[in-house]
Amino acid sequence: MTTARTTKFPTDVAAPGKDGIGASPLRPDGILKVKGDFAYSSDLWIDGMLWGMTLRSPHPRARILSIDITEALRVPGVEAVLTHEDVPGRKHFGLDHTWDQPVLAFDKVRHHGEPIALVAADHPETCRRAMDKIAIEWEVLEPITDPVAVIEDPETLAVQERGGITRYQPVCVGDLEVGRAMADVVISQQYEVGMQDQAFLGPESGLVIPTEDGGLEFYVATQWLHWDLTQIAPCLGLAEDQIRMTLAGVGGAFGGREDLSMEIHAGMLALYTRKPIKMVYNREESFFGHVHRHPAQMWYEYGATNEGRLVFAKVKIVLDGGPYTSATLNVTGNAASMSIGPYKIPHVEVDTYGVYTNNPVCGAMRGFGGVQACFAHESMMDKLADTLGLDPVHVRQLNVTEQGDTIVTGQVLHAPTPLVSMLEQAKALPLPAAVDASDIRNLPGALSQTTHGEGVVRGVGYGVGIKNICFSEGFDDLSTARVRLEVIGGEPVALVHTAAAEVGQGLVTVEAQIARTELGIERVTIHPADNGVGSGGSTSASRQTYMTGGAVMNACRAVRDSVLVRARAKGLTDAANLVGGKVVSNSGEVLAALVDVLDEGFVEETREYHHHPTTGMDPVTGQGDSHTQLAVCVHRAVVDVDVDLGLVKVVSLDAVQDVGKIMNRLQLEGQIHGGAVQGLGLAVMEEILVSDGKVRNPSFTDYLIPTILDVPKQDLVILENPDPRAPYGLRGAGEPPTLSSTPAVVAAIRDAIRAAGGAGYINRVPVRPTDIIESC
């Protein structure tokens, strides 16, 4: 069941065609992907290419005393073996202008799997044989793996020369002692979130081709072509205009492709050999080749009145970023600003730390700091309700923010935030019927036949998530679009050119919908994303429909204005709009065919879109208008738990989400479903296991993700309360369901445990079978 509540949003948008805004045209890449005909980056091929491969550290912390590549160079078929001495330019790269990650390790390694050497050869197996012959002399050191210990002694336990703490961000509101005096009840709990992997199906891969002028052409799967270029060029000793970046087919991202992986390495090999280089990680290497979600340890203390009104919160959040900065600076800020969620608490003290360790590098992942905080603050809402004997939905409704309120950073919620009614709608959704125990596929454990219904108890839980959309804290976020309108084959056709990365979310479909709507035509072609046009920004922060959609809107409107000027110059003085391939007046009278107005040639315009300004968080109080937009989602989970075996079956995972404006319903539903399933995975199965700094389960055999058999029914209520600051009133939609689904599933598990008479409290995700058994 998918229902919608629609609010009319006044706009000057032209009348859309059958596949314009609000319609659900099929994705142009959809059939190709389903049939296996789509060309991903790992499918790229060119005659004469060599294969590249990376040698990685088996130690999480060690000094490199020597590297001997002599025997590797003697392997037949090998054409290059490179180390840090061969880096042609800058030896470090990194997000957020930190430039702290070595292209290749040169004095020490700081994490398990750190790149050390590169090989280019005629075949992948040749590369492997050569890597086995690279001799490295090590001085193995004790890894620094406890982020809490680093906070207590950041100088002694410093993984980086700059110290042990990446960022400390406090948030202070009111007076904590005043709040304590107001509280009738005080609750506290420690929470933990494990390290989650993006688990995209397409491994890191790409093709780099030398050009005749000494430059390079990159065909890579990424999330941000222009920022990749900013890092790649100086490391390769090339000017940016010597490099052409083209987006290859991307097999998922979820934040894991914001950082570089194989790009500089393949570029080095291509420059050295002057031959095309293809690199493709296998699945094990992929686990080492990209960042992961920050594991978190969190301490929460809440005070409330007997009626359930929150009066104070004291929070400490520690995020383990691994040895390099990546996105930890911004993830820490996000976690701090989202620390208590969409709730009004007059007295708050938050301390949030991002920390360097010798654990795996962590950075951007869907939810970006909000996921960790959401699990904790929603668990606290349930704990408060349980302590006071109140309904968990009622406790949330009593405390949630609404339009005009502020979040903990003092930022005002300008757009409608109808969380009270959203919670009511989630609660009112029909509950699933009792399970048919005669079909074991419906039971926890399913086809493993661990149960036939004995010890299975049902639970219901809720989660509320609030997530920032677009970049924050004063970043001048922008996207660029170039739109050309011309006549091809006797019809008006638009060509939309952006550098925005399509990573599976359906942006190319929405770009075409916007062009059809704004230009009143049907035929739209999407130019391949490359750096031949201005930056499209990162495909992250649920920002592309907002930002690149806004840029396409601006460029289309500029094209439309230019066409109307041309029409008026031809004597069509009443020309006011483009509809259905015609030039029309304000009253809708057809004045001319668009193809006749374009008889002098194409019209082309390039425009940027910038969201309204944001500010940084105050380094002492955490106050500031740090976010562009805030989006909300409510989840209700229903689970069956085998309390004897600790097994969980998620029966339903229903959502109520406000999206501002439905651009493409079919794709929107997919985003909400997919985000919720990724949150479900974190709740009950997904975790990279790390001990003494070493990754223990770098494979899809041992790192489990939900399959179709784990995905429950998902009913949706989609609301349209437009944000007046956003293009078309839309809100980013891809991340909020990832926040709220995890605590909803865990709340339902706790509810089932209580129904079975258990008294234990689950405070960690993913929930393990032993956690459930010990709680019962």
Side-chain angles (χ1 to χ4, degrees), residues 202-215:
E204 293 83 348
S205 53
L207 179 67
V208 181
I209 303 173
T211 58
E212 293 182 358
D213 63 357

Side-chain angles (χ1 to χ4, degrees), residues 33 40 80 99 181 283 377 386 441 467 492 495 500 503 526 563 570 583 661 723 730 769:
K33 287 179 175 178
Y40 290 98
W99 302 93
R283 183 56 59 187
H377 66 64
D386 190 45
R441 291 175 297 180
K467 175 64 176 65
L495 176 66
V503 301
I526 305 299
V563 170
K570 289 177 174 288
V583 179
K661 169 67 178 177
D723 182 343
L730 67 84

Side-chain angles (χ1 to χ4, degrees), residues 637-690:
V638 178
V639 305
D640 286 340
V641 180
D642 187 320
V643 295
D644 296 328
L645 300 175
L647 301 177
V648 176
K649 172 75 172 180
V650 181
V651 179
S652 70
L653 192 54
D654 306 325
V656 181
Q657 184 165 339
D658 193 332
V659 302
K661 169 67 178 177
I662 298 174
M663 303 291 284
N664 181 311
R665 176 177 293 279
L666 188 61
Q667 292 190 168
L668 171 63
E669 292 173 1
Q671 284 290 296
I672 298 173
H673 288 160
V677 171
Q678 209 152 24
L680 182 159
L682 177 60
V684 296
M685 62 181 71
E686 293 188 45
E687 182 176 13
I688 295 177
L689 300 174
V690 181

Side-chain angles (χ1 to χ4, degrees), residues 594-660:
L594 183 54
V595 293
D596 294 333
V597 178
L598 293 172
D599 59 355
E600 297 174 8
F602 66 83
V603 176
E604 183 176 276
E605 300 287 351
T606 302
R607 292 291 185 275
E608 293 180 349
Y609 185 88
H610 298 248
H611 59 63
H612 63 86
T614 60
T615 66
M617 297 175 69
D618 185 280
V620 176
T621 66
Q623 300 302 288
D625 288 338
S626 58
H627 297 308
T628 305
Q629 185 187 63
L630 293 161
V632 289
C633 181
V634 175
H635 263 102
R636 186 195 67 187
V638 178
V639 305
D640 286 340
V641 180
D642 187 320
V643 295
D644 296 328
L645 300 175
L647 301 177
V648 176
K649 172 75 172 180
V650 181
V651 179
S652 70
L653 192 54
D654 306 325
V656 181
Q657 184 165 339
D658 193 332
V659 302

